[in-house]
Amino acid sequence: MDRRSRLAVAVLAVLVTVTGCTLPSFAPEGSDQPARAESGTSVPGSAEPGTAQWRPCPEVPQDLVGRTAPGMTYQCATVQVPEDWAKPDAGKKYDISMIRIRSGKQKASERIGSLLLNPGGPGGSGVDLAVYLTFGEKLGGLPTEITDRFDIVGFDPRGINRSSPVKCIDAKDQDASFAADPDPVSQAEFDTVAALTKKIADGCTKKYGEDLSDFATEQAARDVDALRAAVGDEKLTYLGYSYGTLLGATYAQLFPQNVRALVLDGAVDPTETFTQGSEQQAKGFERAFTNFTKWCTTEPSRCPIAPDARGAVTDALAKAETSPVRGPDGRDATAGWVFLGLISSLYTESGWADLANAIDDLRTGDATGIFELADQYAEREPDGTYSNLFDANLTVNCVDNQKAPGVAEIRRLQGEWRSKYPLFGAPMAVGMLPCAYWGGGRDPYPAGEAKGAPPILVVGTTGDPATPYENTADLANMLGVGQVLTWEGEGHTAYPSTTCIKDAVDRYLLDLKMPPEGLRCPPK
């Protein structure tokens, strides 16, 4: 099937990239660093009000989906921002790409403003997300109540996709990284993975040098204020998923007076260290996988690897280390590719059946399903090329973190976490290697209160693998003005998954009315 016609799959693919991750595995952001500026004070480089020069761009949804959404118009603009907001008149400029999608049903007298979107990553495209989410609720998109009152504005943050993209990882090295053993046990195996990781990190440093620090989250948050001004909004209304919660929280600390409403769905905890965040994610994926195995026992007709799903996945990983199945394009489904497919499938409950079928197919010598899951997550094209998702992801994660553990510490944690989190602990530890070798600049984000900001809604999912539910209250408490909304569901992020979640978030976005304190929405 033509990929552009598979809209529902495309929406899932965008949301699947919503995670904090580093090569070759997946560890979220974290920082030891205190906030560098008092919230509510003036900051260098605050954006002055301006306007964007919009042009029609129906070719964007045509390219992504193969058609435009009924009743929607598409306009694009590019806003230039300084290399360093502390020195706005010096250095080069970066181009930030935006798309504005407006419903034909919108009435000027009822329009509230713009809703800015960020899908996370770091590395996900907000332009793509805006397109997908405006195809309607039946395909998992935004409710008409929202699209009738807001312009939907997606943007690609600096260094990502259409916005002066960072590109420093060769496709062959990317393939090798994903194919590598996610848990190299022997020292020789570990050294092989470490050498490849160092090659990738060194390549980015060699290409960009100290300019890498330009892609820090704090710089991107200041860009957001420039976008707010460019679309003509006095105050920001924002929906951020996963890493997008970190971007939104950073914005709230820097520009609390410019906040109208922030929905932060799938919280990153800015107060965690890089190591703490990685361990939390190992715990989250282990919990999500356990939930998957329980589902298998209750739905054996949909889970061909029941009743022992954990055993089947563990066996598949072990066999892939010694005798990987050859995929339809000639790649071997090594343990690394199998693990990547496993990670991908846990982002939504609907992915569980795909995982079960893919693991079952491996037993009969068919790797098609596992590669579909892995390639969807990695944004790998059939011709072997990649988007710059992981180039940007590596860069932002490492720039944001002042203190990453060293190689020896990572090796120690690999064994320790393997015991605590059997499938995901060791890979999450190994996933911290790129930042151990990082030679570019560092520029950690602030982690403090958003003094003077209005109430901010922080949404958490109890079964979230990538941004574990425990982060939700931590982020809300750090901001000082956050309130938690809970979805007792599975998968990564919540809005607009159920009527309960949708109604609560919509009322906040539309009327600035917070849901009842402590509201917990059921799974369905």
Side-chain angles (χ1 to χ4, degrees):
M1 182 184 297
D2 186 290
R3 189 178 60 159
R4 293 182 301 174
S5 67
R6 298 170 63 187
L7 179 58
V9 174
V11 173
L12 172 62
V14 169
L15 295 180
V16 157
T17 67
V18 181
T19 180
C21 47
T22 56
L23 288 169
S25 191
F26 315 92
E29 310 76 16
S31 175
D32 296 330
Q33 304 305 306
R36 289 177 293 162
E38 285 293 321
S39 299
T41 62
S42 61
V43 289
S46 297
E48 294 298 329
T51 58
Q53 300 299 310
W54 298 100
R55 62 171 181 81
C57 57
E59 71 276 5
V60 176
Q62 287 285 353
D63 182 59
L64 290 171
V65 181
R67 61 188 174 96
T68 58
M72 297 291 178
T73 59
Y74 302 83
Q75 294 178 306
C76 293
T78 299
V79 174
Q80 284 199 333
V81 296
E83 176 181 22
D84 183 353
W85 278 101
K87 303 172 184 177
D89 298 324
K92 59 180 178 289
K93 305 291 184 181
Y94 290 117
D95 292 327
I96 308 300
S97 293
M98 295 189 293
I99 190 168
R100 180 174 69 185
I101 306 174
R102 181 174 290 174
S103 170
K105 297 179 180 179
Q106 187 184 115
K107 297 179 180 179
S109 60
E110 297 179 355
R111 178 182 177 274
I112 296 173
S114 300
L115 175 61
L116 267 69
L117 305 177
N118 183 273
S125 167
V127 172
D128 291 2
L129 182 67
V131 170
Y132 296 136
L133 289 186
T134 48
F135 270 81
E137 292 181 70
K138 290 183 179 179
L139 293 168
L142 294 169
T144 55
E145 292 89 343
I146 298 299
T147 56
D148 285 353
R149 303 289 301 280
F150 289 97
D151 293 339
I152 307 305
V153 177
F155 66 99
D156 291 352
R158 59 168 65 196
I160 293 168
N161 204 310
R162 302 167 183 85
S163 297
S164 303
V166 172
K167 190 63 181 172
C168 55
I169 306 176
D170 179 81
K172 291 183 179 179
D173 288 340
Q174 191 97 71
D175 274 351
S177 177
F178 286 134
D181 191 339
D183 181 16
V185 177
S186 73
Q187 190 60 47
E189 291 169 335
F190 181 86
D191 289 345
T192 298
V193 172
L196 173 60
T197 305
K198 186 176 187 302
K199 178 186 177 185
I200 290 171
D202 288 350
C204 292
T205 302
K206 181 178 180 180
K207 183 172 181 178
Y208 292 101
E210 287 301 313
D211 285 349
L212 288 169
S213 62
D214 296 346
F215 303 104
T217 292
E218 181 169 331
Q219 296 286 353
R222 296 186 187 280
D223 295 344
V224 170
D225 202 54
L227 301 183
R228 173 201 59 77
V231 299
D233 286 357
E234 181 180 352
K235 293 184 181 292
L236 176 71
T237 304
Y238 173 87
L239 169 60
Y241 293 100
S242 196
Y243 164 80
T245 69
L246 177 63
L247 183 61
T250 303
Y251 181 91
Q253 293 170 72
L254 299 175
F255 303 102
Q257 72 282 359
N258 291 348
V259 172
R260 176 186 175 271
L262 302 184
V263 177
L264 308 180
D265 186 356
V268 172
D269 179 3
T271 67
E272 288 181 332
T273 66
F274 191 61
T275 301
Q276 289 170 337
S278 298
E279 183 173 7
Q280 273 288 86
Q281 201 167 51
K283 179 180 178 181
F285 273 101
E286 199 72 47
R287 179 167 54 201
F289 182 75
T290 297
N291 293 343
F292 158 72
T293 63
K294 292 177 180 177
W295 170 84
C296 273
T297 61
T298 60
E299 298 280 352
S301 63
R302 299 174 60 195
C303 183
I305 59 175
D308 184 14
R310 180 175 287 272
V313 171
T314 301
D315 288 347
L317 287 165
K319 290 178 181 178
E321 290 184 2
T322 56
S323 52
V325 176
R326 180 65 53 86
D329 64 355
R331 281 179 291 166
D332 287 335
T334 62
W337 287 116
V338 174
F339 184 77
L340 191 66
L342 170 61
I343 286 281
S344 175
S345 69
L346 295 178
Y347 275 77
T348 63
E349 190 172 1
S350 61
W352 291 358
D354 293 333
L355 172 63
N357 288 324
I359 296 298
D360 188 50
D361 288 345
L362 281 176
R363 297 192 290 202
T364 61
D366 183 0
T368 304
I370 205 69
F371 275 120
E372 286 181 351
L373 286 169
D375 290 352
Q376 175 181 266
Y377 185 91
E379 293 193 0
R380 186 185 191 274
E381 298 293 336
D383 63 2
T385 60
Y386 288 86
S387 73
N388 87 316
L389 170 63
F390 281 88
D391 309 71
N393 188 281
L394 168 66
T395 298
V396 176
N397 275 328
C398 295
V399 168
D400 274 353
N401 288 280
Q402 185 68 43
K403 294 182 179 179
V407 176
E409 175 67 4
I410 289 171
R411 182 66 165 151
R412 183 187 69 80
L413 291 171
Q414 180 189 3
E416 180 181 311
W417 292 359
R418 186 188 300 119
S419 299
K420 296 172 70 175
Y421 319 104
L423 274 179
F424 299 93
M428 295 303 169
V430 174
M432 294 188 288
L433 276 172
C435 293
Y437 290 118
W438 191 247
R442 311 271 183 163
D443 186 11
Y445 45 76
E449 294 184 17
K451 296 178 182 178
I456 293 171
L457 188 59
V458 185
V459 187
T461 302
T462 56
D464 194 321
T467 50
Y469 177 70
E470 292 83 351
N471 291 355
T472 315
D474 291 339
L475 177 58
N477 291 335
M478 184 204 78
L479 291 171
V481 293
Q483 180 176 316
V484 171
L485 170 64
T486 299
W487 181 39
E488 295 176 334
E490 300 295 338
H492 186 37
T493 74
Y495 178 74
S497 296
T498 68
T499 299
C500 176
I501 287 291
K502 179 182 73 69
D503 289 349
V505 173
D506 287 355
R507 291 286 71 75
Y508 171 67
L509 288 173
L510 294 168
D511 304 323
L512 301 181
K513 292 183 178 179
M514 276 289 185
E517 188 80 34
L519 179 62
R520 300 181 71 89
C521 290
K524 304 296 184 184

